[in-house]
Amino acid sequence: MTPVKNNLLLRALRNETTSRTPVWMMRQAGRTDPMYRELRQRVDLPLEAMFRDSDISVEASLLPKRIGVDGIIIFQDILTPLTPIGADFLFRPGPQLKTPIRCETDIEKLRPIDPADDLAHVGRTIRGVRAALDGDLPVIGFAGAPLTLAMFLIEGKSPGRNPERVFSMMRDKPASMHKLLSKLADMTVAYLRYQIEEGVQTVQLFESMADIITTEQYATFAHRYHERIFAALSNDVPKILFAKERSEMNLLASSGADVISIGNCVDLRECRATLGDRVAIQGNVDNQIVATGSTDDVRRAVRECIDAGGSTGHVLNLSHGLLQNTPFENVQAFVDEAHRYSAAQTESAPERSATT
Ligand code: CP3
């Protein structure tokens, strides 16, 4: 396969020193980009149909390239693999499961997946993105982590901050919960292995509902499955864990992830001090600043984050995904400042470039 021309992201994810801090944003493909909105209008399809069409998914995945990001995330949703396990959904406008999972029998009915067959459109999208990039940038694959997917399955929609049914299953039927999580973990391993075979160069596991549970629940119902998934994947691609707004750095680092994506609840410098050089770090500019601040606020936040992260094993990203109402000029300022400031830092400290 073509070697990657811009390998800053892959180097930082492998905890190496880089001549400039690489940058990408969670949820960069869509939502805030006027060209994405144009694409949606032009194709005039429901979101689930856009995800199934690999030509459209390739086009949407590539849109952020022009902003100057150092990696391209595949345009799909974390819910994509739920359809072949037997839990189909629509976006109206948020995800709506056709039949939520409520009892042991529903869990038993969930099928194992054969991604090459069931999710061939994802493989086509990955190959299409790799071909179009021709090695310019690395491609990021991803999956939803089991507990986050389970919450969507059980609630039948976005779980919100107080998913009663999820909490009562954890409390009253932990064995059923583990059965469901186990099936989802097997599915996720198959899905991520497939993405790697098709050419993604790094993978991120999204535990996007991690911020609404206790440490105990996180350890029992989330962390265990992260360990299982990461252990089953090849060491050839860096593995990123995004556990929304969790602060238990040692626990996260023991999941087997090579990179921990951090939110607003931890200080990047403290996080470095705790973790040493065990893992690389991704994050953590406050996505609210990018959504509501001025371009100067965004630029300042980027500079502070680059200073805190240092030049080894740091990927500049947000605390969480881009928020829906984020002005596109702030998105561009985020990336521009990452380039400008990182380059200026390297010039003023030429000895660092000797190590790259
Ligand atoms: O840039 C990217 O990150 C592209 C791929 C991507 C999408 N969804 C496309 C999408 C990724 C990585 C996701 C992950 C995802 N999807 C998560 C975890 C990530 C996170 O932010 O923590 C979650 C929880 C979902 C579930 C989901 N998808 C919801 C609740 C919604 C509706 C509301 C919304 O906009 O978030 C979606 C829709 C969705 N998935 C959009 C995109 C670009 C919105 C697109 C549109 O409205 O046109």
Side-chain angles (χ1 to χ4, degrees), residues 176-243:
S176 299
M177 191 62 164
H178 283 298
K179 189 179 256 183
L180 174 58
L181 294 170
S182 215
K183 282 195 158 194
L184 292 170
D186 290 345
M187 179 275 279
T188 304
V189 168
Y191 185 41
L192 287 174
R193 281 185 176 157
Y194 174 64
Q195 293 182 41
I196 294 167
E197 277 162 28
E198 294 293 354
V200 302
Q201 290 139 306
T202 177
V203 291
Q204 176 157 318
L205 194 62
F206 282 96
E207 194 69 276
S208 299
M209 303 306 302
D211 59 330
I212 63 164
I213 53 179
T214 64
T215 301
E216 178 74 33
Q217 287 167 332
Y218 182 84
T220 311
F221 297 106
H223 174 73
R224 250 191 227 193
Y225 296 93
H226 303 164
E227 287 183 305
R228 204 165 120 184
I229 292 166
F230 289 137
L233 298 178
S234 148
N235 287 326
D236 296 344
V237 300
K239 294 163 258 184
I240 313 167
L241 174 62
F242 169 73

Side-chain angles (χ1 to χ4, degrees), residues 224-267:
R224 250 191 227 193
Y225 296 93
H226 303 164
E227 287 183 305
R228 204 165 120 184
I229 292 166
F230 289 137
L233 298 178
S234 148
N235 287 326
D236 296 344
V237 300
K239 294 163 258 184
I240 313 167
L241 174 62
F242 169 73
K244 188 176 175 192
E245 293 301 338
R246 297 281 350 159
S247 58
E248 302 87 341
M249 285 301 129
N250 286 312
L251 182 66
L252 270 59
S254 72
S255 65
D258 304 294
V259 187
I260 304 299
S261 197
I262 61 168
N264 289 323
C265 65
V266 286
D267 176 83

Side-chain angles (χ1 to χ4, degrees), residues 24-31 36 40 47 51 73-79 91 93-95 142 148 152 158 206 208-209 242 244 320-321 324:
W24 71 283
M25 287 156 290
M26 285 180 271
R27 313 298 294 268
Q28 68 187 16
R31 284 183 160 191
Y36 172 74
R40 281 218 70 176
L47 200 47
F51 289 129
I73 186 163
I74 292 298
F75 181 77
Q76 277 301 323
D77 200 77
I78 55 165
L79 306 183
F91 286 98
F142 68 91
T148 292
F152 277 89
S158 289
F206 282 96
S208 299
M209 303 306 302
F242 169 73
K244 188 176 175 192
H320 183 212
Q324 208 131 21

